[in-house]
Amino acid sequence: MEKNLKPMSGYVALVISLFLLFGGIILVINGGSSENTLMVILGILCIIAFIFFMKGLMIIQPNHSRVLNFFGKYVGSVKENGLFFINPLYSSQKISLRSENLQGQTLKVNDKMGNPIDIAVVIVWKVGDTYKAAFDVERYSDFVKMQSEAAVRHLAMSFPYDNLEDEHAAITLREGGEKINAILEQELTDRLSKAGIVIQEARISHLAYASEIAGAMLQRQQATAIVAARAKIVEGAVGMVDMALKKLSEENIVELDDERKAAMVSNLMVVLCGEKAAQPILNAGTLYN
């Protein structure tokens, strides 16, 4: 459990340390010149006390902290910045509280449908609990890298890349957007909380089919798009043909029997659904000759 300490200001200890240093030097010099052994011993003791006091001085930069131990026992963490004086027998460990970016390497993973994909993420994180970061894991920075990679692999295997194969998928990696990012953040938070790590942001930075199937999947996407476009064209053409027949009938422009209606529908559908512009053809006879 993290404990926040507020040690005493180090400026008084710094003044005392400097006083001991100069006093010790003066005593050693004067004792040596007057051959006064007691003064020399006192001077040496003052210099030793100066070293002892200086070891207790501690400078903490902004957004940094120190984890203090006393002969293997956790004493507390200091998160305030400034100059402080602590027990010189304490051992300390520096831990940065600044936000850090982790640009994950591109991983080749199989998605939910078994398709190989390439995925990479960017994670913004920082240390929130210095006790857990210092004592619950070996090296918290390496722990973040390994668990982040595991979280990305688990995310990729939990959802399909898109809905080409799974039409009923509610969330896909390609179209999930903020939902996928939120799921990734929660996954990282659950995995890294034991190390005292706070996830500030997690985003997918790269997502694509693996190179060995990228060409086939691109053709499949193009075919799907073409089919969808053709369906839309046919739907619009049918509506236009129906409107044309109703207009001709309502205004009594021409009376068409079933065979002539079928011929007209066929011609209109060819014109409206064709990829190239239609060329007019003059019919010198009739439909029946």
Side-chain angles (χ1 to χ4, degrees):
M1 186 70 178
E2 184 183 62
K3 295 187 295 185
N4 290 324
L5 287 183
K6 294 183 178 180
M8 63 177 293
S9 174
Y11 293 101
V12 176
L14 178 62
V15 173
I16 296 175
S17 299
L18 294 177
F19 177 79
L20 290 172
L21 174 62
F22 291 120
I25 293 174
I26 293 173
L27 288 174
V28 170
I29 294 175
N30 292 336
S33 61
S34 62
E35 297 183 356
N36 189 333
T37 306
L38 181 60
M39 290 182 64
V40 173
I41 294 175
L42 288 175
I44 294 174
L45 291 176
C46 288
I47 294 175
I48 293 175
F50 161 76
I51 297 173
F52 187 75
F53 269 84
M54 288 300 294
K55 190 177 184 302
L57 290 176
M58 178 178 63
I59 299 176
I60 300 180
Q61 303 294 340
N63 283 327
H64 283 74
S65 67
R66 293 286 187 93
V67 179
L68 305 179
N69 295 294
F70 183 66
F71 293 108
K73 182 179 179 181
Y74 173 67
V75 177
S77 302
V78 182
K79 294 184 176 181
E80 295 183 10
N81 60 294
L83 178 64
F84 301 100
F85 179 76
I86 60 174
N87 188 336
L89 298 179
Y90 287 169
S91 61
S92 64
Q93 177 182 351
K94 295 181 180 180
I95 294 182
S96 174
L97 301 178
R98 294 180 294 185
S99 298
E100 298 190 38
N101 281 320
L102 175 62
Q103 174 63 62
Q105 61 179 348
T106 301
L107 304 175
K108 182 175 290 186
V109 193
N110 291 337
D111 68 353
K112 184 180 180 180
M113 308 306 297
N115 298 316
I117 62 173
D118 293 333
I119 185 172
V121 300
V122 175
I123 301 170
V124 182
W125 61 277
K126 69 175 183 178
V127 175
D129 190 315
T130 56
Y131 177 84
K132 292 182 178 180
F135 301 113
D136 286 356
V137 294
E138 184 64 27
R139 287 181 294 273
Y140 65 87
S141 57
D142 293 340
F143 186 80
V144 170
K145 294 178 182 178
M146 297 301 295
Q147 291 299 317
S148 297
E149 180 176 330
V152 172
R153 290 184 181 276
H154 183 263
L155 175 75
M157 295 173 63
S158 301
F159 299 97
Y161 179 86
D162 53 27
N163 54 9
L164 286 178
E165 294 186 6
D166 189 358
E167 297 180 356
H168 303 289
I171 302 176
T172 63
L173 295 174
R174 186 166 64 90
E175 298 178 353
E178 293 299 323
K179 292 182 179 179
I180 287 292
N181 293 330
I183 294 172
L184 177 59
E185 289 182 13
Q186 186 60 48
E187 176 83 11
L188 290 168
T189 299
D190 295 340
R191 289 175 176 269
L192 299 176
S193 60
K194 65 180 65 178
I197 304 300
V198 176
I199 300 299
Q200 297 176 297
E201 185 180 7
R203 293 287 183 270
I204 294 178
S205 60
H206 174 77
L207 181 64
Y209 281 114
S211 57
E212 55 265 29
I213 67 166
M217 287 300 178
L218 178 59
Q219 291 179 353
R220 182 173 181 175
Q221 290 175 351
Q222 290 174 342
T224 303
I226 291 173
V227 170
R230 287 294 181 185
K232 197 68 176 178
I233 291 173
V234 171
E235 181 182 352
V238 170
M240 294 176 68
V241 170
D242 180 64
M243 180 181 66
L245 292 175
K246 288 181 178 179
K247 198 73 174 176
L248 291 172
S249 177
E250 290 175 357
E251 297 185 6
N252 295 321
I253 296 176
V254 63
E255 293 184 3
L256 300 175
D257 56 18
D258 291 341
E259 188 173 353
R260 289 180 177 179
K261 284 182 180 180
M264 182 177 180
V265 169
S266 175
N267 294 333
L268 287 175
M269 291 297 293
V270 170
V271 172
L272 295 173
C273 297
E275 294 183 358
K276 297 181 180 179
Q279 296 181 355
I281 298 176
L282 294 177
N283 186 3
T286 67
L287 181 63
Y288 303 102
N289 291 319

Coordinates of all heavy atoms in Angstrom, one line a residue, residues 149-234:
E149 N 1.6 -5.9 -25.3 CA 1.6 -6.7 -26.5 C 0.5 -7.9 -26.3 O -0.2 -8.2 -27.2 CB 3.0 -7.4 -26.7 CG 3.1 -8.3 -27.9 CD 4.5 -8.8 -28.1 OE1 5.4 -8.1 -27.7 OE2 4.6 -10.0 -28.6
A150 N 0.5 -8.4 -25.1 CA -0.5 -9.5 -24.8 C -2.0 -8.9 -25.0 O -2.9 -9.6 -25.5 CB -0.3 -10.0 -23.4
A151 N -2.2 -7.7 -24.5 CA -3.5 -7.1 -24.6 C -3.9 -6.8 -26.1 O -5.1 -7.1 -26.5 CB -3.6 -5.8 -23.8
V152 N -3.0 -6.4 -26.9 CA -3.2 -6.2 -28.3 C -3.6 -7.5 -29.0 O -4.5 -7.6 -29.8 CB -2.0 -5.5 -29.0 CG1 -2.3 -5.4 -30.5 CG2 -1.9 -4.1 -28.4
R153 N -2.8 -8.5 -28.7 CA -3.1 -9.8 -29.3 C -4.5 -10.3 -28.9 O -5.2 -10.9 -29.7 CB -2.0 -10.8 -28.9 CG -0.7 -10.6 -29.5 CD 0.3 -11.7 -29.1 NE 1.6 -11.4 -29.7 CZ 2.0 -11.8 -31.0 NH1 1.1 -12.4 -31.7 NH2 3.2 -11.5 -31.4
H154 N -4.8 -10.2 -27.7 CA -6.2 -10.6 -27.2 C -7.3 -9.8 -27.9 O -8.3 -10.4 -28.2 CB -6.2 -10.5 -25.7 CG -7.5 -11.0 -25.1 ND1 -8.6 -10.1 -24.8 CD2 -7.9 -12.2 -24.8 CE1 -9.6 -10.8 -24.3 NE2 -9.2 -12.1 -24.3
L155 N -7.1 -8.5 -28.0 CA -8.1 -7.7 -28.7 C -8.3 -8.1 -30.1 O -9.4 -8.2 -30.6 CB -7.6 -6.2 -28.6 CG -8.5 -5.2 -29.4 CD1 -9.8 -5.0 -28.6 CD2 -7.8 -3.9 -29.6
A156 N -7.2 -8.3 -30.8 CA -7.3 -8.7 -32.3 C -8.0 -10.1 -32.4 O -8.7 -10.3 -33.4 CB -5.9 -8.8 -32.9
M157 N -7.8 -11.0 -31.5 CA -8.4 -12.3 -31.6 C -9.8 -12.3 -31.2 O -10.5 -13.3 -31.4 CB -7.6 -13.3 -30.8 CG -6.1 -13.5 -31.3 SD -5.2 -14.6 -30.1 CE -6.1 -16.1 -30.2
S158 N -10.3 -11.2 -30.6 CA -11.7 -11.2 -30.0 C -12.7 -10.6 -31.0 O -13.9 -10.8 -30.8 CB -11.7 -10.4 -28.7 OG -10.8 -10.9 -27.8
F159 N -12.2 -9.9 -32.1 CA -13.1 -9.3 -33.0 C -12.6 -9.6 -34.5 O -11.4 -9.7 -34.7 CB -13.1 -7.8 -32.8 CG -13.6 -7.4 -31.4 CD1 -12.7 -7.1 -30.4 CD2 -14.9 -7.3 -31.2 CE1 -13.1 -6.7 -29.2 CE2 -15.4 -6.9 -29.9 CZ -14.5 -6.6 -28.9
P160 N -13.6 -9.6 -35.4 CA -13.2 -9.8 -36.8 C -12.6 -8.4 -37.4 O -12.9 -7.4 -36.8 CB -14.5 -10.1 -37.5 CG -15.5 -9.5 -36.6 CD -15.0 -9.6 -35.2
Y161 N -11.8 -8.6 -38.4 CA -11.2 -7.3 -39.0 C -12.3 -6.5 -39.6 O -12.3 -5.3 -39.3 CB -10.2 -7.8 -40.1 CG -9.6 -6.6 -40.8 CD1 -8.5 -6.0 -40.3 CD2 -10.1 -6.1 -42.0 CE1 -7.9 -4.9 -41.0 CE2 -9.6 -5.0 -42.7 CZ -8.4 -4.4 -42.2 OH -7.9 -3.4 -42.8
D162 N -13.2 -7.0 -40.3 CA -14.4 -6.3 -40.8 C -15.6 -7.3 -40.9 O -15.5 -8.5 -40.4 CB -14.1 -5.7 -42.2 CG -13.6 -6.6 -43.2 OD1 -13.9 -7.8 -43.1 OD2 -12.9 -6.2 -44.1
N163 N -16.7 -6.9 -41.5 CA -17.9 -7.7 -41.5 C -18.1 -8.4 -42.8 O -19.2 -8.8 -43.2 CB -19.1 -6.9 -41.1 CG -19.3 -5.7 -42.0 OD1 -18.5 -5.5 -43.0 ND2 -20.2 -4.8 -41.7
L164 N -17.0 -8.6 -43.6 CA -17.1 -9.4 -44.8 C -17.5 -10.8 -44.6 O -18.3 -11.4 -45.3 CB -15.8 -9.3 -45.6 CG -15.5 -7.9 -46.3 CD1 -14.2 -8.0 -47.0 CD2 -16.6 -7.5 -47.3
E165 N -16.9 -11.4 -43.6 CA -17.1 -12.8 -43.3 C -18.2 -13.0 -42.1 O -18.9 -13.9 -42.1 CB -15.8 -13.5 -42.9 CG -14.9 -13.6 -44.0 CD -13.7 -14.5 -43.7 OE1 -13.6 -15.1 -42.6 OE2 -12.7 -14.6 -44.5
D166 N -18.2 -12.0 -41.2 CA -19.1 -12.1 -40.1 C -20.1 -10.9 -40.3 O -19.8 -9.8 -39.7 CB -18.4 -12.0 -38.8 CG -19.3 -12.3 -37.6 OD1 -20.5 -12.4 -37.8 OD2 -18.8 -12.3 -36.5
E167 N -21.2 -11.1 -41.0 CA -22.1 -10.0 -41.3 C -22.8 -9.5 -40.0 O -23.3 -8.4 -40.0 CB -23.1 -10.4 -42.4 CG -22.4 -10.7 -43.7 CD -23.4 -11.1 -44.7 OE1 -24.6 -11.2 -44.4 OE2 -23.1 -11.3 -45.9
H168 N -22.9 -10.4 -39.0 CA -23.7 -10.0 -37.8 C -22.8 -9.5 -36.7 O -23.2 -9.3 -35.6 CB -24.4 -11.3 -37.3 CG -25.3 -11.9 -38.3 ND1 -26.5 -11.3 -38.7 CD2 -25.2 -13.0 -39.1 CE1 -27.1 -12.0 -39.6 NE2 -26.4 -13.1 -39.9
A169 N -21.5 -9.2 -37.0 CA -20.6 -8.7 -36.0 C -21.0 -7.3 -35.6 O -21.2 -6.4 -36.5 CB -19.2 -8.7 -36.5
A170 N -21.2 -7.1 -34.3 CA -21.6 -5.7 -33.8 C -20.5 -4.8 -33.8 O -20.6 -3.6 -34.1 CB -22.2 -5.8 -32.4
I171 N -19.2 -5.3 -33.6 CA -18.0 -4.4 -33.5 C -17.0 -5.1 -34.4 O -16.7 -6.3 -34.2 CB -17.5 -4.2 -32.1 CG1 -18.6 -3.6 -31.2 CG2 -16.3 -3.3 -32.1 CD1 -18.2 -3.4 -29.8
T172 N -16.3 -4.4 -35.2 CA -15.2 -4.9 -35.9 C -13.9 -4.0 -35.7 O -14.1 -2.8 -35.2 CB -15.4 -4.9 -37.5 OG1 -15.7 -3.5 -37.9 CG2 -16.7 -5.7 -37.8
L173 N -12.8 -4.5 -35.9 CA -11.6 -3.8 -35.7 C -11.5 -2.5 -36.6 O -11.0 -1.5 -36.2 CB -10.3 -4.7 -35.9 CG -10.2 -5.9 -34.9 CD1 -9.0 -6.7 -35.4 CD2 -10.0 -5.4 -33.5
R174 N -11.9 -2.7 -37.8 CA -11.8 -1.6 -38.8 C -12.8 -0.5 -38.6 O -12.5 0.7 -38.8 CB -11.9 -2.2 -40.2 CG -11.6 -1.1 -41.3 CD -11.4 -1.8 -42.6 NE -12.6 -2.5 -43.1 CZ -13.6 -1.9 -43.8 NH1 -13.4 -0.6 -44.2 NH2 -14.7 -2.6 -44.2
E175 N -14.0 -0.8 -38.1 CA -15.0 0.2 -38.0 C -15.4 0.4 -36.5 O -16.3 1.2 -36.3 CB -16.3 -0.3 -38.8 CG -16.0 -0.4 -40.3 CD -17.2 -0.9 -41.0 OE1 -18.2 -1.3 -40.3 OE2 -17.2 -1.0 -42.2
G176 N -14.7 -0.2 -35.6 CA -15.1 -0.1 -34.2 C -14.8 1.3 -33.6 O -15.5 1.8 -32.8
G177 N -13.7 1.9 -34.1 CA -13.4 3.3 -33.7 C -13.2 3.4 -32.2 O -12.4 2.7 -31.6
E178 N -14.0 4.3 -31.6 CA -13.9 4.6 -30.2 C -14.2 3.5 -29.3 O -13.7 3.3 -28.2 CB -14.7 5.9 -29.8 CG -14.3 7.2 -30.4 CD -12.8 7.5 -30.0 OE1 -12.5 7.3 -28.8 OE2 -12.1 8.1 -30.8
K179 N -15.1 2.6 -29.7 CA -15.5 1.4 -28.9 C -14.3 0.5 -28.8 O -14.0 0.0 -27.7 CB -16.7 0.7 -29.6 CG -18.0 1.5 -29.5 CD -19.1 0.7 -30.1 CE -20.5 1.5 -30.1 NZ -21.6 0.7 -30.7
I180 N -13.6 0.3 -29.9 CA -12.4 -0.6 -29.8 C -11.4 0.0 -29.0 O -10.7 -0.7 -28.2 CB -11.9 -0.9 -31.3 CG1 -12.8 -1.8 -32.0 CG2 -10.5 -1.5 -31.2 CD1 -12.9 -3.2 -31.5
N181 N -11.2 1.3 -29.1 CA -10.2 2.0 -28.2 C -10.5 1.9 -26.8 O -9.7 1.7 -25.9 CB -10.0 3.4 -28.7 CG -9.4 3.6 -30.1 OD1 -8.6 2.7 -30.5 ND2 -9.8 4.6 -30.8
A182 N -11.8 2.0 -26.5 CA -12.2 1.9 -25.1 C -12.0 0.5 -24.5 O -11.6 0.3 -23.4 CB -13.7 2.3 -24.9
I183 N -12.3 -0.5 -25.4 CA -12.1 -1.9 -24.9 C -10.6 -2.1 -24.7 O -10.2 -2.8 -23.7 CB -12.7 -2.8 -26.0 CG1 -14.2 -2.7 -26.0 CG2 -12.3 -4.3 -25.7 CD1 -14.8 -3.5 -27.2
L184 N -9.8 -1.6 -25.6 CA -8.3 -1.7 -25.4 C -7.8 -1.1 -24.1 O -7.0 -1.6 -23.4 CB -7.6 -1.1 -26.6 CG -6.1 -1.1 -26.6 CD1 -5.5 -2.5 -26.5 CD2 -5.5 -0.4 -27.9
E185 N -8.3 0.2 -23.9 CA -7.9 0.9 -22.6 C -8.3 0.1 -21.4 O -7.5 0.0 -20.4 CB -8.6 2.2 -22.6 CG -8.0 3.2 -23.6 CD -8.6 4.6 -23.5 OE1 -9.3 4.8 -22.5 OE2 -8.4 5.4 -24.4
Q186 N -9.5 -0.5 -21.4 CA -10.0 -1.3 -20.2 C -9.1 -2.5 -20.1 O -8.8 -2.9 -19.0 CB -11.4 -1.7 -20.4 CG -12.0 -2.3 -19.2 CD -12.0 -1.5 -18.0 OE1 -12.3 -0.3 -18.0 NE2 -11.5 -2.0 -16.8
E187 N -8.8 -3.2 -21.2 CA -7.9 -4.4 -21.2 C -6.6 -4.1 -20.6 O -6.0 -4.8 -19.7 CB -7.8 -4.9 -22.6 CG -6.9 -6.1 -22.7 CD -7.5 -7.4 -22.3 OE1 -8.8 -7.5 -22.2 OE2 -6.8 -8.5 -22.2
L188 N -6.0 -3.0 -21.0 CA -4.7 -2.5 -20.5 C -4.7 -2.2 -19.0 O -3.8 -2.5 -18.3 CB -4.1 -1.4 -21.3 CG -3.7 -1.7 -22.8 CD1 -3.5 -0.4 -23.6 CD2 -2.4 -2.6 -22.8
T189 N -5.8 -1.5 -18.6 CA -6.0 -1.1 -17.2 C -6.0 -2.3 -16.3 O -5.4 -2.3 -15.3 CB -7.2 -0.2 -17.1 OG1 -7.1 1.0 -17.9 CG2 -7.4 0.2 -15.6
D190 N -6.8 -3.3 -16.7 CA -6.9 -4.5 -15.9 C -5.6 -5.2 -15.8 O -5.3 -5.8 -14.8 CB -8.0 -5.5 -16.6 CG -9.4 -4.9 -16.5 OD1 -9.6 -3.9 -15.7 OD2 -10.2 -5.3 -17.3
R191 N -4.8 -5.3 -16.9 CA -3.5 -6.0 -16.9 C -2.4 -5.3 -16.1 O -1.6 -5.9 -15.5 CB -3.1 -6.3 -18.3 CG -3.9 -7.3 -19.1 CD -3.5 -7.5 -20.5 NE -4.2 -8.5 -21.2 CZ -3.8 -9.8 -21.3 NH1 -2.6 -10.1 -20.7 NH2 -4.5 -10.7 -21.9
L192 N -2.4 -3.9 -16.2 CA -1.3 -3.2 -15.7 C -1.6 -2.6 -14.3 O -0.7 -1.9 -13.7 CB -1.0 -2.0 -16.6 CG -0.5 -2.5 -18.0 CD1 -0.3 -1.3 -18.9 CD2 0.8 -3.3 -17.9
S193 N -2.8 -2.8 -13.8 CA -3.1 -2.2 -12.5 C -2.3 -2.8 -11.4 O -2.0 -2.2 -10.4 CB -4.6 -2.4 -12.1 OG -4.9 -3.8 -12.1
K194 N -1.9 -4.1 -11.5 CA -1.0 -4.7 -10.5 C 0.4 -4.1 -10.4 O 1.0 -4.3 -9.4 CB -0.9 -6.2 -10.8 CG -0.2 -6.5 -12.1 CD -0.1 -8.0 -12.3 CE -1.5 -8.6 -12.5 NZ -1.4 -10.1 -12.8
A195 N 0.7 -3.3 -11.4 CA 2.0 -2.7 -11.4 C 1.9 -1.2 -11.1 O 2.8 -0.4 -11.1 CB 2.8 -2.8 -12.7
G196 N 0.7 -0.7 -10.7 CA 0.4 0.7 -10.4 C 0.5 1.6 -11.6 O 0.7 2.8 -11.4
I197 N 0.2 1.1 -12.8 CA 0.2 1.9 -14.0 C -1.1 2.4 -14.3 O -2.1 1.7 -14.3 CB 0.8 1.0 -15.2 CG1 2.2 0.4 -14.8 CG2 0.9 1.9 -16.4 CD1 3.2 1.5 -14.5
V198 N -1.2 3.7 -14.7 CA -2.5 4.3 -15.1 C -2.4 4.5 -16.7 O -1.5 5.1 -17.2 CB -2.6 5.6 -14.4 CG1 -3.9 6.3 -15.0 CG2 -2.7 5.5 -12.9
I199 N -3.4 4.0 -17.4 CA -3.5 4.1 -18.8 C -4.3 5.4 -19.1 O -5.4 5.6 -18.7 CB -4.2 2.9 -19.5 CG1 -3.4 1.7 -19.2 CG2 -4.3 3.2 -21.0 CD1 -2.0 1.7 -19.7
Q200 N -3.6 6.4 -19.8 CA -4.3 7.6 -20.1 C -5.0 7.6 -21.5 O -6.0 8.3 -21.7 CB -3.3 8.8 -20.0 CG -2.7 9.0 -18.6 CD -1.6 10.0 -18.6 OE1 -0.5 9.9 -19.3 NE2 -1.8 11.1 -17.9
E201 N -4.4 6.9 -22.4 CA -4.9 6.8 -23.7 C -4.3 5.6 -24.4 O -3.2 5.3 -24.2 CB -4.7 8.1 -24.5 CG -5.3 8.1 -25.9 CD -5.0 9.4 -26.6 OE1 -4.2 10.2 -26.1 OE2 -5.7 9.7 -27.7
A202 N -5.1 5.0 -25.3 CA -4.7 3.8 -26.1 C -5.4 3.9 -27.4 O -6.6 4.0 -27.5 CB -4.9 2.5 -25.4
R203 N -4.6 3.9 -28.5 CA -5.2 4.0 -29.8 C -4.5 3.0 -30.8 O -3.3 2.8 -30.7 CB -5.0 5.4 -30.4 CG -5.8 6.5 -29.7 CD -7.3 6.4 -30.0 NE -8.1 7.4 -29.4 CZ -8.7 7.3 -28.2 NH1 -8.5 6.2 -27.5 NH2 -9.4 8.3 -27.7
I204 N -5.3 2.5 -31.7 CA -4.7 1.6 -32.8 C -4.1 2.6 -33.8 O -4.7 3.4 -34.4 CB -5.8 0.8 -33.5 CG1 -6.3 -0.2 -32.4 CG2 -5.2 0.1 -34.7 CD1 -7.5 -1.1 -33.0
S205 N -2.8 2.4 -34.1 CA -2.0 3.2 -35.0 C -1.9 2.6 -36.4 O -1.6 3.3 -37.3 CB -0.7 3.6 -34.4 OG 0.1 2.4 -34.2
H206 N -2.0 1.3 -36.4 CA -1.8 0.6 -37.7 C -2.7 -0.6 -37.7 O -2.7 -1.4 -36.8 CB -0.4 0.2 -37.9 CG -0.2 -0.6 -39.2 ND1 -0.2 -0.1 -40.4 CD2 0.0 -2.0 -39.4 CE1 0.0 -1.0 -41.3 NE2 0.1 -2.2 -40.7
L207 N -3.5 -0.8 -38.8 CA -4.3 -2.0 -38.9 C -4.5 -2.3 -40.4 O -4.9 -1.4 -41.2 CB -5.7 -1.7 -38.3 CG -6.7 -2.8 -38.4 CD1 -6.3 -4.0 -37.5 CD2 -8.1 -2.3 -37.9
A208 N -4.1 -3.5 -40.8 CA -4.2 -3.9 -42.2 C -4.1 -5.4 -42.2 O -3.7 -6.1 -41.3 CB -3.1 -3.3 -43.0
Y209 N -4.6 -6.0 -43.4 CA -4.5 -7.4 -43.6 C -3.0 -7.7 -43.8 O -2.2 -6.9 -44.3 CB -5.3 -7.9 -44.8 CG -6.7 -8.1 -44.6 CD1 -7.7 -7.2 -45.2 CD2 -7.2 -9.1 -43.7 CE1 -9.0 -7.4 -45.0 CE2 -8.6 -9.3 -43.5 CZ -9.5 -8.4 -44.1 OH -10.8 -8.6 -43.9
A210 N -2.6 -8.9 -43.4 CA -1.2 -9.3 -43.6 C -0.9 -9.4 -45.1 O -1.8 -9.6 -45.9 CB -0.9 -10.7 -42.9
S211 N 0.4 -9.2 -45.4 CA 0.7 -9.1 -46.8 C 0.3 -10.3 -47.7 O 0.0 -10.2 -48.8 CB 2.3 -8.9 -46.9 OG 3.0 -10.0 -46.3
E212 N 0.3 -11.5 -47.1 CA 0.0 -12.7 -47.8 C -1.4 -12.8 -48.3 O -1.7 -13.6 -49.2 CB 0.4 -14.0 -47.0 CG -0.2 -14.1 -45.7 CD 0.7 -13.6 -44.6 OE1 1.5 -12.7 -44.9 OE2 0.5 -14.0 -43.4
I213 N -2.3 -12.1 -47.6 CA -3.7 -12.2 -48.0 C -4.3 -10.8 -48.4 O -5.5 -10.7 -48.7 CB -4.6 -12.8 -46.9 CG1 -4.7 -11.9 -45.7 CG2 -4.2 -14.2 -46.5 CD1 -5.8 -12.2 -44.7
A214 N -3.4 -9.8 -48.4 CA -3.9 -8.4 -48.6 C -4.5 -8.3 -50.0 O -5.6 -7.7 -50.2 CB -2.8 -7.4 -48.4
G215 N -3.8 -8.9 -51.0 CA -4.3 -8.8 -52.4 C -5.7 -9.5 -52.6 O -6.6 -8.9 -53.2
A216 N -5.8 -10.7 -52.0 CA -7.1 -11.4 -52.1 C -8.2 -10.7 -51.4 O -9.3 -10.6 -51.9 CB -6.9 -12.8 -51.6
M217 N -7.9 -10.1 -50.2 CA -8.9 -9.4 -49.5 C -9.3 -8.1 -50.2 O -10.5 -7.7 -50.2 CB -8.5 -9.1 -48.1 CG -8.4 -10.3 -47.2 SD -10.1 -11.0 -47.1 CE -9.8 -12.5 -46.0
L218 N -8.4 -7.4 -50.9 CA -8.7 -6.2 -51.6 C -9.6 -6.6 -52.8 O -10.6 -5.8 -53.0 CB -7.4 -5.6 -52.2 CG -7.6 -4.3 -53.0 CD1 -8.3 -3.2 -52.2 CD2 -6.2 -3.8 -53.5
Q219 N -9.3 -7.7 -53.5 CA -10.2 -8.1 -54.6 C -11.6 -8.4 -54.1 O -12.6 -8.1 -54.7 CB -9.6 -9.3 -55.3 CG -8.4 -9.0 -56.1 CD -7.8 -10.2 -56.7 OE1 -8.3 -11.3 -56.5 NE2 -6.8 -10.0 -57.6
R220 N -11.7 -9.0 -52.9 CA -13.0 -9.3 -52.3 C -13.7 -8.1 -51.9 O -14.9 -8.0 -52.2 CB -12.8 -10.2 -51.1 CG -14.1 -10.6 -50.4 CD -13.8 -11.6 -49.3 NE -15.0 -12.1 -48.7 CZ -15.1 -13.0 -47.8 NH1 -14.0 -13.6 -47.4 NH2 -16.3 -13.4 -47.3
Q221 N -13.0 -7.1 -51.4 CA -13.7 -5.8 -51.0 C -14.2 -5.1 -52.3 O -15.3 -4.5 -52.3 CB -12.7 -5.0 -50.2 CG -12.4 -5.5 -48.8 CD -11.4 -4.6 -48.1 OE1 -10.8 -3.7 -48.7 NE2 -11.2 -4.9 -46.8
Q222 N -13.4 -5.2 -53.3 CA -13.8 -4.5 -54.6 C -15.0 -5.2 -55.2 O -15.9 -4.5 -55.7 CB -12.6 -4.5 -55.6 CG -11.5 -3.6 -55.2 CD -10.3 -3.8 -56.1 OE1 -10.1 -4.8 -56.8 NE2 -9.4 -2.8 -56.1
A223 N -15.0 -6.6 -55.1 CA -16.2 -7.3 -55.6 C -17.4 -7.0 -54.8 O -18.5 -6.8 -55.4 CB -15.9 -8.8 -55.6
T224 N -17.3 -6.9 -53.5 CA -18.4 -6.6 -52.7 C -19.0 -5.2 -53.0 O -20.2 -4.9 -53.1 CB -18.0 -6.6 -51.2 OG1 -17.5 -7.9 -50.9 CG2 -19.2 -6.3 -50.3
A225 N -18.0 -4.2 -53.2 CA -18.4 -2.9 -53.6 C -19.1 -2.8 -54.9 O -20.1 -2.1 -55.1 CB -17.2 -1.9 -53.6
I226 N -18.6 -3.6 -55.9 CA -19.2 -3.6 -57.2 C -20.6 -4.2 -57.2 O -21.6 -3.7 -57.8 CB -18.4 -4.4 -58.2 CG1 -17.0 -3.6 -58.5 CG2 -19.1 -4.7 -59.5 CD1 -16.0 -4.4 -59.3
V227 N -20.8 -5.3 -56.4 CA -22.1 -5.9 -56.3 C -23.1 -4.9 -55.6 O -24.3 -4.8 -56.1 CB -22.0 -7.2 -55.5 CG1 -23.4 -7.7 -55.1 CG2 -21.3 -8.3 -56.3
A228 N -22.7 -4.3 -54.6 CA -23.5 -3.3 -53.9 C -23.9 -2.1 -54.9 O -25.1 -1.7 -54.9 CB -22.8 -2.8 -52.7
A229 N -23.0 -1.7 -55.7 CA -23.2 -0.6 -56.6 C -24.2 -1.0 -57.7 O -25.1 -0.3 -58.0 CB -21.9 -0.1 -57.2
R230 N -24.0 -2.3 -58.2 CA -24.9 -2.8 -59.2 C -26.3 -2.9 -58.7 O -27.3 -2.6 -59.4 CB -24.4 -4.1 -59.7 CG -23.2 -4.1 -60.6 CD -23.5 -3.4 -61.9 NE -22.3 -3.3 -62.7 CZ -22.3 -2.6 -63.9 NH1 -23.4 -2.0 -64.3 NH2 -21.3 -2.6 -64.6
A231 N -26.4 -3.4 -57.4 CA -27.8 -3.6 -56.8 C -28.5 -2.2 -56.7 O -29.7 -2.1 -57.0 CB -27.6 -4.2 -55.5
K232 N -27.7 -1.2 -56.4 CA -28.3 0.1 -56.3 C -28.7 0.7 -57.6 O -29.8 1.3 -57.8 CB -27.3 1.1 -55.7 CG -27.9 2.4 -55.1 CD -28.7 2.1 -53.9 CE -29.3 3.4 -53.3 NZ -30.2 3.2 -52.2
I233 N -27.9 0.4 -58.7 CA -28.3 0.8 -60.0 C -29.5 0.1 -60.5 O -30.4 0.8 -61.1 CB -27.1 0.5 -61.0 CG1 -25.9 1.5 -60.6 CG2 -27.5 0.7 -62.4 CD1 -24.6 1.2 -61.4
V234 N -29.6 -1.2 -60.3 CA -30.8 -1.9 -60.7 C -32.0 -1.4 -60.0 O -33.1 -1.3 -60.6 CB -30.6 -3.5 -60.5 CG1 -31.9 -4.2 -60.7 CG2 -29.5 -4.0 -61.4

